Amino acid sequence: MYGIIASPDYAKDIKEVLQGKQILFEKTGMFKPEEFQQHCTAAAGISIDILIVDMTCCSSDNDIVKGIRKYRVARSSRVILIAPGREPGDPAISALVGDGVYDIVAPALPEEDDDEEEAEALDIQPYLQKQLTMSYHMGNAARWRSLDDEPVASAAASSSKPGKGRPETIIQEQIIFRDRIVGTVIVGVAAAGRRTGCTHTAVQISSFLAREGFSAACIELMEPELQRPVFSTFKSDEPSQLHPGGFRIGGIDFFPYDQVQNVIDILHAGYKYIVLDFGQLVYEEAGEKKPSAYSQEFLRSDFSIVTAGSALWDYKDALQLVDTMQKWKWRKSLNVLINYADASLFKEISEALTGKEKQTLQLQFAPAPYQPDPFKVTDPSAEAYRQILSAIIPAQQEKRQRGSILQLLPFGKRGKGA
């Protein structure tokens, strides 16, 4: 099922390519910035698999980015950009690639001939047809991504009078409805170093969300040659519910690394929350720090948690990770969860940086609740996670009568679906 937001120049070509397919949303015209954003918001309310957006239908790149970001916050559906004449390094496209828009159709514009009255029309059909056959993968858009993208200059700004045309800064926006983010919320959990409780925390958060009555999935996304995936050691005979290929424990659908064929399909399955276990985010190779293969996915998470131990060397790993992210120009608000710390030790660790330093680095510190069994959530643990995740869960929940949660630490032989 498809959606289209396009100019009259390319709408016909797009519909020709989609002939015989179901188009649930269609807006054709040259739109003012506020109109374009309204169309993106309207599209987010419809169950669309692929939204095709023609960037020539709006003169403001800044508002194109804002509108598509609103759509991506509400839905994780695939977005294909029609961007004739654009080239790698384009700040608007670079910003959108950072938000998970990996399909860029950008054929070169025909050269103008002074002897001809009208320029030759650009046929985008073969380019769009080819893009639709490609799988959704960040590698398709790697050449468009610039880690230096800060402001986006809109077409309107570039044509302003001298001295008045300044780049418009893109402001990150989220659609909030009844105190929560609309659509599937992605929680990324990564480790500052080895043995800091990353997987334990991912399972605990998933258990908390399931305890609160939300549909939750937990996915393992780590490089097996660098660290040991563990979900495959869990034992369960109950298959996953909302998406096939995983297994279910304690009301949570688990997807081990070796069974995750296409993460985007799981993201579209209708879970309210998906917790991604990334393991160690940065590793060292031949004395050089390198990002893990899934580091960009961590940066795209709606809510990002870094786990760290309370030992001096563990805390140092966390600060080194933040420093590395700054050097690589990764800009991300991080929630640093300190494991194995009592109240006095956590106070000492969290106050090692000044309030201004934490604000500049976008860091929030929180103590991790002590709970050896990751599948068991006590009332004190639930209260702690409710506070930690307050930005992404409703402020108030209706109390529900619940049956017992499976009290099982399921290591051993793998069962069906595991």
Side-chain angles (χ1 to χ4, degrees):
M1 292 175 282
Y2 295 81
I4 301 171
I5 303 176
S7 69
D9 291 340
Y10 298 112
K12 183 178 178 181
D13 282 348
I14 295 171
K15 286 190 282 187
E16 283 286 336
V17 172
L18 299 182
Q19 194 170 19
K21 295 181 172 61
Q22 193 171 9
I23 299 173
L24 298 183
F25 182 87
E26 181 183 345
K27 292 293 179 182
T28 301
M30 299 302 297
F31 306 116
K32 296 178 181 177
E34 61 273 14
E35 290 176 330
F36 179 84
Q37 290 197 50
Q38 288 168 3
H39 294 331
C40 289
T41 302
I46 301 172
S47 183
I48 295 170
D49 295 318
I50 297 177
L51 177 65
I52 300 175
V53 178
D54 167 19
M55 293 185 72
T56 69
C57 73
C58 179
S59 63
S60 169
D61 279 6
N62 193 51
D63 287 278
I64 289 173
V65 173
K66 284 182 179 180
I68 294 176
R69 277 183 171 162
K70 287 180 179 180
Y71 178 82
R72 288 285 297 171
V73 167
R75 288 193 175 275
S76 55
S77 304
R78 186 175 176 182
V79 175
I80 296 179
L81 290 181
I82 306 296
R86 305 266 181 155
E87 297 180 350
D90 183 280
I93 295 180
S94 177
L96 288 170
V97 170
D99 293 320
V101 178
Y102 301 152
D103 294 277
I104 318 297
V105 178
L109 293 170
E111 293 184 8
E112 294 185 7
D113 191 335
D114 295 335
D115 296 332
E116 295 182 9
E117 293 184 3
E118 293 185 6
E120 181 185 350
L122 173 64
D123 181 10
I124 65 165
Q125 290 189 39
Y127 303 99
L128 179 56
Q129 286 170 339
K130 180 180 178 181
Q131 196 69 36
L132 287 169
T133 63
M134 298 171 67
S135 61
Y136 175 83
H137 190 272
M138 64 183 296
N140 296 341
R143 67 195 182 97
W144 292 89
R145 180 69 167 137
S146 168
L147 295 180
D148 291 323
D149 47 277
E150 289 290 343
V152 169
S154 69
S158 62
S159 62
S160 299
K161 293 180 180 179
K164 295 200 175 182
R166 293 187 298 173
E168 299 178 34
T169 300
I170 293 175
I171 300 173
Q172 292 277 5
E173 296 190 14
Q174 290 179 327
I175 302 173
I176 304 295
F177 179 71
R178 292 184 185 172
D179 252 358
R180 68 186 185 276
I181 301 174
V182 173
T184 300
V185 182
I186 309 298
V187 179
V189 183
R194 295 183 64 83
R195 312 296 296 176
T196 60
C198 177
T199 296
H200 185 283
T201 298
V203 176
Q204 268 275 278
I205 289 174
S206 302
S207 298
F208 162 73
L209 293 169
R211 180 185 190 265
E212 295 294 291
F214 298 113
S215 58
C218 194
I219 305 175
E220 205 169 35
L221 278 183
M222 56 182 68
E223 297 176 85
E225 61 273 14
L226 298 174
Q227 47 204 320
R228 185 171 64 110
V230 300
F231 286 7
S232 59
T233 65
F234 292 0
K235 184 175 70 174
S236 173
D237 291 323
E238 185 179 357
S240 53
Q241 288 191 355
L242 293 187
H243 188 78
F247 56 87
R248 192 168 181 82
I249 297 175
I252 308 159
D253 284 0
F254 284 91
F255 295 90
Y257 174 80
D258 60 359
Q259 294 190 21
V260 177
Q261 301 298 323
N262 193 344
V263 175
I264 198 67
D265 289 342
I266 304 174
L267 299 183
H268 288 167
Y271 294 100
K272 183 58 189 173
Y273 292 91
I274 292 180
V275 181
L276 301 178
D277 176 12
F278 290 96
Q280 195 167 336
L281 197 62
V282 174
Y283 63 96
E284 198 163 301
E285 183 180 280
E288 183 182 353
K289 292 192 180 298
K290 299 203 171 177
S292 73
Y294 301 101
S295 57
Q296 291 294 331
E297 302 304 324
F298 175 77
L299 296 176
R300 274 189 282 273
S301 302
D302 297 310
F303 192 82
S304 299
I305 293 174
V306 168
T307 59
S310 57
L312 176 61
W313 50 89
D314 287 331
Y315 180 59
K316 187 178 178 182
D317 284 342
L319 294 183
Q320 284 180 339
L321 173 60
V322 173
D323 184 56
T324 299
M325 292 178 72
Q326 294 292 315
K327 288 178 180 175
W328 288 343
K329 297 187 178 180
W330 287 354
R331 298 292 181 259
K332 183 71 178 176
S333 177
L334 295 177
N335 298 272
V336 182
L337 209 59
I338 305 295
N339 283 293
Y340 327 121
D342 59 18
S344 60
L345 182 55
F346 172 75
K347 185 175 186 294
E348 182 181 343
I349 290 173
S350 62
E351 292 180 355
L353 296 175
T354 66
K356 186 175 181 180
E357 287 172 331
K358 285 185 279 191
Q359 184 177 12
T360 301
L361 297 172
Q362 301 183 80
L363 298 180
Q364 295 284 341
F365 287 86
Y370 177 71
Q371 177 50 256
D373 183 348
F375 291 89
K376 183 176 181 179
V377 181
T378 62
D379 288 341
S381 295
E383 188 55 41
Y385 282 118
R386 192 172 290 113
Q387 196 167 3
I388 292 166
L389 302 171
S390 60
I392 57 170
I393 60 175
Q396 293 182 341
Q397 299 290 335
E398 178 186 350
K399 296 296 182 182
R400 297 175 174 87
Q401 294 294 326
R402 299 184 56 80
S404 60
I405 296 178
L406 181 61
Q407 304 294 320
L408 173 66
L409 189 61
F411 294 99
K413 185 178 69 174
R414 293 178 63 187
K416 189 186 302 180

